[in-house]
Amino acid sequence: MSAPWMNTHLSPDARARILAEAMTPAELAGQLLADDANAWPDRLPPDDVGALYNAQGPRLAELAGALRARHRLNVPVLFALDSAHGHAMLRGLGSTVFPSPLAMAATFDTEQLRRMGTITADEMIATGIRWAFSPNIDVARDLRFGRIEETFGEDPYLVGEMGAAMIEGVQGDPARPRVLATAKHFTGYSEGQGGRDASECAISWRVLRRDHMPPYQRAIKAGVGAVMSGYHAIDGVPCVINRRLLQHELRDRLGFTGFVVSDADNVQWCHLLQAIQGSHADFIARAVAAGNEVHLAARGVVAALLEATERGDLSLSTMREASIRILRAKFSLGLFDEDSRPPLSDVRTAESFAAAVDAASASMVLLENHGVLPVATAVKRILLVGESANDLRQQYGCWTALCRNEAAETLVRAHSEAKNWTFLPALRARAEAAGADLEYVPACGPAPTSPTVNESDGIALAVARAKVADMVLAVVGDSDHWVGEGRDCARLELPGRQHALLEALHQVCVSKGTPLVVVLATNKPLAIPWVKAHASAVVCVWNAGMGGGDALAALLWGDRDFTGRTPISWPAHVGQLPVHYDRMPGLHFEGFSGGPQQAVPLANRDAMNAFGGDIHAWRQDNTRHIDLPSDWVNGLWPFGFGMSYASIEIENAAMSAERWALGQAPSLKVELHNDGTRDGVAVIQVYVRDVVASVTRPDRRLAAWKRVTVGAGERTTTTITLALELLEVIDADGERVTEPGLFHALVGMSSRLSDLRVLLFSVDPK
């Protein structure tokens, strides 16, 4: 007779509760450990475990069978792995690697995220892994923070929508998920002081609710199964033991019903680095009591929980409820009911590779173009420069089998196809198809060089070959030596001698009248005003994944059009951070010396007219750092910006109604005209400004966007509905409310105020 919890007619919750009642305290505690399989390379973990991560291939199959057979109640193990942008940690390069999360955010296309999530889940299932440590929905503003590349950028609404789409793709039906998704790192992790990873998050609970919790609200609405707590502390309490954060905010206010997992061995930092009173074992129990049910890669979890329950520091009922949460996830995933299959190692298909190319194409952003792109048919000799043009490790980005792997080059050489995925072979093939010759000179790159490497010779060779080229393509950027977890940087310029390379090439290009196209293969925005001022064209390709080469070639020659938009603002100088578009402006302005006679110059019509009479634009442009040029005040390229080969403009925009009742979602109509000869895609963005409110708030916030295809020479009209929650403020009591009154809807093609039309509407009380 089968065990009662194996009754598939019961709900996952009912089955989990029946099973938990049958488990011993040690078995319950074992479910709360997600151990690192690398810690047990040739034997089984001594304790029962609820989950294992980093197991792959035959070793995963061995562990799955042996651990389930060893368990008294035959409870299966949940296998997990990081999957930030595809099943990219799979060893052997047999999976599909999409562009980095920040690049995927640049698509402004939730369908791209949903498709990536679906393919990721397909490949994870085929390799025996059913729990994904993604998406990262930190709202990231400080570019010194090493993990910027893992995020979806600076805007809470964009981050939430992109994260939700990925969750929906990974999980499918949240009641019966295919793979369990994890929203991380709850919350404010990216707000560490000085851009330092895991530093204290020194912002108020009200600002956390305003800026950092909305993406989690959206993830919970999408049905996310797990949430990962952050390494950092909020208001003096580490997140992993922060009951206010995990219980009051996450569960009571946001309504989360899944389980919370710590980041890797998080509790050890409570006493080692955060110097909180207590022992390692104490913090394990305190975390579970606070609402962090599962410990990732922590030592001594089972013993610590058993001792805590015996002492009465942790009730058995609390530990049982914590265990029920992960058991419920296992039942929902079907782990108890499915027959195990041998894990595959090569899961990429032609269709998934094509999806990676599409995603890379949609993510690349044309930042500057002074008439040199698409590449003209008259261009017959192309010089491609830069080590990053032929570096798959850099192109892959974070959380891949190549990242921080000094054997990456060997792995790529050993793979039959991998050498064809970089920019170099794709650009060479496309040049040949156009009847042009492409010569490649590595010159220099972002990685730290050996003392024996003479980059001066490489730069000199590039300069010499530039003298006979019709166009120079310079691929420059950063690498995983300078970014990622635990790699925060104080500087934002191009690493190494890449800037010197560009200056030398520019000198030749100016003398010969040759266009210099700069391709930014970068994990995050850099402060590169020289590039903006001197390049003939600038293309940001981010970490483009395995489809990056084909995508870039198609875009440069005009086979595809650029539709990517910046998901994060580009600064002109590291000292002006943060420079995100919705930052709080200062109240003092240039020339202010205090006193009532130094009021904002509303009466100075000449000054105000320069900003269209908009005090908001005047305020943002006049509260700048006085030692930086005035045209740097908003950085180099704003959030939401991107050029294309099409010529699409907004001809007219109007609210569907001027007055809206409280609880109604306002909408507007936008008329577009493409007066060019190419079809194109407009990414219309609508920002909301609460004109007068009871508390201070950002000047404007993205409340909707829409991708609209407009044929050459055509006009079209589209309706856009604003996200109702973007009309809300977090009031002085910390409550989310919509305050009736006057609002502005700002419509345009980027967040830059000069690009936006202001439409007025009001919200009336019921």
Side-chain angles (χ1 to χ4, degrees):
M1 185 176 180
S2 64
W5 55 84
M6 295 302 292
N7 183 351
T8 58
H9 296 292
L10 298 176
S11 69
D13 182 72
R15 296 174 73 181
R17 292 185 180 280
I18 293 170
L19 174 56
E21 288 294 334
M23 297 175 83
T24 66
E27 290 166 344
L28 292 171
Q31 292 303 303
L32 304 183
L33 171 60
D35 210 348
D36 184 353
N38 289 335
W40 314 104
D42 50 13
R43 60 191 178 100
L44 297 182
D47 295 317
D48 289 334
V49 296
L52 279 172
Y53 77 110
N54 285 334
Q56 296 187 35
R59 178 59 173 161
L60 183 150
E62 178 188 5
L63 289 167
L67 288 172
R68 187 166 189 179
R70 188 183 74 176
H71 198 284
R72 181 179 67 90
L73 301 177
N74 204 32
V75 175
V77 171
L78 175 58
F79 287 91
L81 198 64
D82 283 283
S83 57
H85 48 116
H87 192 17
M89 294 287 288
L90 185 67
R91 293 189 286 268
L93 306 183
S95 63
T96 309
V97 180
F98 287 83
S100 67
L102 190 62
M104 291 300 295
T107 68
F108 274 67
D109 188 347
T110 53
E111 285 307 311
Q112 287 283 357
L113 271 293
R114 201 169 281 110
R115 187 182 187 192
M116 179 179 76
T118 299
I119 291 171
T120 300
D122 290 342
E123 296 186 353
M124 295 186 86
I125 291 169
T127 58
I129 299 169
R130 302 296 295 278
W131 182 12
F133 293 156
S134 60
N136 182 330
I137 55 174
D138 296 325
V139 176
R141 276 85 177 270
D142 194 326
L143 297 173
R144 297 171 296 178
F145 178 52
R147 303 185 74 172
I148 288 283
E149 60 181 329
E150 296 179 43
T151 76
F152 296 125
E154 71 183 37
D155 180 82
Y157 181 62
L158 179 70
V159 170
E161 292 302 303
M162 291 297 181
M166 185 172 176
I167 290 163
E168 290 162 0
V170 168
Q171 293 192 159
D173 180 0
R176 300 285 180 178
R178 302 169 68 236
V179 170
L180 202 68
T182 309
K184 61 183 188 180
H185 310 83
F186 193 67
T187 184
Y189 177 52
S190 55
E191 292 282 355
Q193 297 179 64
R196 296 182 180 89
D197 193 340
S199 177
E200 181 93 6
C201 175
I203 56 178
S204 69
W205 286 98
R206 191 180 77 83
V207 173
L208 280 169
R209 290 176 183 170
R210 185 191 72 195
D211 295 353
H212 295 275
M213 292 188 188
Y216 287 91
Q217 179 74 78
R218 185 66 183 87
I220 291 165
K221 184 179 178 181
V224 70
V227 166
M228 182 179 286
S229 58
Y231 280 121
H232 60 296
I234 296 175
D235 205 15
V237 182
C239 292
V240 71
I241 59 170
N242 195 319
R243 183 172 179 80
R244 176 176 178 178
L245 178 70
L246 301 178
Q247 186 61 51
H248 179 60
E249 298 290 341
L250 181 60
R251 300 195 186 282
D252 298 344
R253 292 180 68 96
L254 300 184
F256 179 61
T257 58
F259 66 85
V260 176
V261 59
S262 75
D263 211 330
D265 202 8
N266 199 340
V267 290
Q268 72 164 320
W269 306 119
C270 293
H271 63 97
L272 285 180
L273 294 180
Q274 290 162 321
I276 306 296
Q277 183 177 6
S279 67
H280 182 73
D282 293 337
F283 292 123
I284 289 172
R286 286 173 63 180
V288 173
N292 190 112
E293 288 85 12
V294 178
H295 286 283
L296 183 66
R299 303 272 69 82
V301 170
V302 173
L305 293 177
L306 290 177
E307 291 171 8
T309 56
E310 291 169 0
R311 292 194 309 265
D313 295 338
L314 178 71
S315 71
L316 185 59
S317 62
T318 296
M319 187 165 71
R320 181 177 291 112
E321 284 298 317
S323 301
I324 285 170
R325 290 182 183 274
I326 189 167
L327 290 171
R328 184 170 60 215
K330 292 182 180 183
F331 280 114
S332 297
L333 287 163
L335 299 187
F336 283 84
D337 311 313
E338 297 175 355
D339 293 330
S340 60
R341 295 175 294 179
L344 303 178
S345 59
D346 196 344
V347 291
R348 185 177 52 260
T349 65
E351 291 76 16
S352 67
F353 183 85
V357 175
D358 288 343
S361 175
S363 73
M364 294 179 181
V365 185
L366 181 60
L367 296 172
E368 300 286 334
N369 186 18
H370 299 289
V372 301
L373 295 177
V375 178
T377 55
V379 173
K380 297 301 181 183
R381 293 171 298 181
I382 299 171
L383 175 65
L384 178 64
V385 178
E387 290 180 359
S388 295
N390 195 34
D391 184 351
L392 194 62
R393 171 176 165 180
Q394 189 285 332
Q395 193 172 312
Y396 263 26
C398 64
W399 294 108
T400 75
L402 301 181
C403 183
R404 301 189 184 184
N405 187 343
E406 297 308 318
E409 190 174 341
T410 301
L411 292 174
V412 171
R413 283 200 303 265
H415 195 277
S416 60
E417 300 174 55
K419 63 180 180 297
N420 298 319
W421 297 336
T422 65
F423 300 119
L424 171 60
L427 294 174
R428 177 170 282 156
R430 186 60 185 84
E432 290 176 358
D437 293 324
L438 185 142
E439 180 181 5
Y440 176 54
V441 177
C444 63
T449 59
S450 165
T452 61
V453 175
N454 187 346
E455 291 188 330
S456 296
D457 289 348
I459 294 173
L461 178 59
V463 168
R465 301 311 300 158
K467 293 176 181 178
V468 295
D470 298 327
M471 173 177 280
V472 176
L473 299 177
V475 183
V476 296
D478 57 13
S479 68
D480 61 21
H481 302 86
W482 306 108
V483 297
E485 187 167 8
R487 292 185 176 177
D488 312 313
C489 278
R491 297 181 295 181
L492 291 178
E493 63 263 24
L494 289 166
R497 300 197 63 195
Q498 294 178 106
H499 183 81
L501 169 67
L502 292 181
E503 285 189 320
L505 290 172
H506 177 258
Q507 187 174 357
V508 173
C509 289
V510 168
S511 67
K512 304 288 290 185
T514 304
L516 171 61
V517 178
V518 176
V519 177
L520 298 171
T522 180
N523 293 266
K524 63 184 181 182
L526 301 175
I528 46 175
W530 187 95
V531 173
K532 178 180 172 66
H534 294 88
S536 305
V538 182
V539 177
C540 177
V541 298
W542 313 101
N543 300 117
M546 64 183 1
D550 289 347
L552 180 60
L555 287 166
L556 291 182
W557 268 268
D559 305 327
R560 299 187 185 216
D561 194 8
F562 288 94
T563 61
R565 302 294 183 264
T566 50
I568 191 166
S569 302
W570 288 65
H573 191 283
V574 68
Q576 67 181 155
L577 294 177
V579 73
H580 53 94
Y581 82 90
D582 60 343
R583 66 194 182 280
M584 302 295 287
L587 298 182
H588 292 183
F589 49 90
E590 187 176 354
F592 181 90
S593 60
Q597 302 304 314
Q598 290 290 332
V600 175
L602 289 173
N604 186 338
R605 293 304 174 191
D606 290 338
M608 292 306 299
N609 287 341
F611 295 90
D614 187 351
I615 184 62
H616 304 280
W618 182 93
R619 177 178 61 174
Q620 191 164 90
D621 275 21
N622 281 273
T623 54
R624 67 179 182 89
H625 297 91
I626 63 170
D627 56 343
L628 297 181
S630 60
D631 59 351
W632 289 9
V633 66
N634 293 310
L636 300 179
W637 297 290
F639 173 88
F641 176 78
M643 304 173 71
S644 78
Y645 298 141
S647 301
I648 304 174
E649 300 290 340
I650 295 176
E651 282 201 332
N652 192 30
M655 298 300 300
S656 301
E658 293 183 357
R659 301 180 68 176
W660 301 83
L662 196 66
Q664 276 187 302
S667 64
L668 61 150
K669 294 184 183 299
V670 180
E671 299 175 12
L672 297 167
H673 179 214
N674 183 348
D675 64 358
T677 59
R678 290 187 61 127
D679 298 345
V681 174
V683 182
I684 308 169
Q685 300 155 48
V686 186
Y687 300 81
V688 165
R689 173 188 290 149
D690 191 346
V691 177
V692 177
S694 62
V695 291
T696 60
R697 64 226 167 274
D699 170 64
R700 61 200 182 283
R701 276 280 167 87
L702 182 68
W705 81 86
K706 192 171 187 178
R707 295 168 54 88
V708 181
T709 300
V710 188
E714 293 182 357
R715 286 180 167 82
T716 190
T717 300
T718 189
T719 298
I720 303 175
T721 301
L722 306 186
L724 195 57
E725 66 269 21
L726 268 295
L727 302 182
E728 299 171 340
V729 297
I730 305 297
D731 67 15
D733 296 323
E735 298 301 321
R736 184 174 291 278
V737 297
T738 300
E739 298 178 342
L742 183 65
F743 289 80
H744 291 167
L746 300 97
V747 189
M749 303 289 196
S750 84
S751 64
R752 187 164 47 201
L753 283 171
S754 58
D755 293 343
L756 297 170
R757 297 177 180 223
V758 181
L759 309 178
L760 276 63
F761 69 95
S762 64
V763 173
D764 300 333
K766 288 184 178 179

